[in-house]
Amino acid sequence: KQWYQRRVRADISNLLPVLSELPIAANDPRLWKQFNFQLLSHARALEPTVRLNVVRVYLEFVAKMGQSYSDLLPDSLPFISELLEDVDEGVEGVVREIVEKIEEVTGESMDQHL
């Protein structure tokens, strides 16, 4: 099982830039919203490795969206709040990075939202 988890984690590292760029390349806000929801829905998976990979892709997605991410924030907040309390420290750590990135790209504090 550990070998598989290391392998999955390594493989997703190579795919992070591609996965996070796909919806942006389409340049369609409807696709951004759909991607956002579908990706965050997978963050509720039982397997910690899956959740970790999802939040790693999501961090890249937020960074690449930049200011345009603001439109997705209201739909994202329930998922982010839930993930901040994840039992897996790795997942929680990446989600804290996501919150910092959101604050950076939107210019507003997330304290009032989370």
Side-chain angles (χ1 to χ4, degrees), residues 30-113:
R30 290 177 302 157
L31 291 177
W32 298 342
K33 190 170 185 161
Q34 185 177 10
F35 178 82
N36 187 63
F37 178 76
Q38 292 298 322
L39 185 61
L40 288 174
S41 294
H42 288 288
R44 291 183 169 154
L46 296 176
E47 179 63 45
T49 304
V50 173
R51 293 193 311 274
L52 182 59
N53 285 330
V54 167
V55 296
R56 290 172 66 204
V57 170
Y58 199 71
L59 177 59
E60 291 285 323
F61 176 62
V62 171
K64 289 181 179 179
M65 285 294 294
Q67 185 61 36
S68 298
Y69 179 78
S70 296
D71 296 336
L72 302 174
L73 186 58
D75 296 334
S76 306
L77 288 172
F79 292 98
I80 293 169
S81 293
E82 187 178 309
L83 287 164
L84 279 169
E85 298 175 6
D86 199 278
V87 295
D88 186 273
E89 290 178 9
V91 171
E92 184 182 336
V94 175
V95 175
R96 293 197 183 286
E97 289 180 52
I98 291 169
V99 171
E100 289 174 11
K101 183 56 71 177
I102 291 170
E103 290 176 335
E104 180 185 316
V105 300
T106 64
E108 62 180 271
S109 174
M110 291 294 101
D111 291 344
Q112 64 188 7
H113 301 292

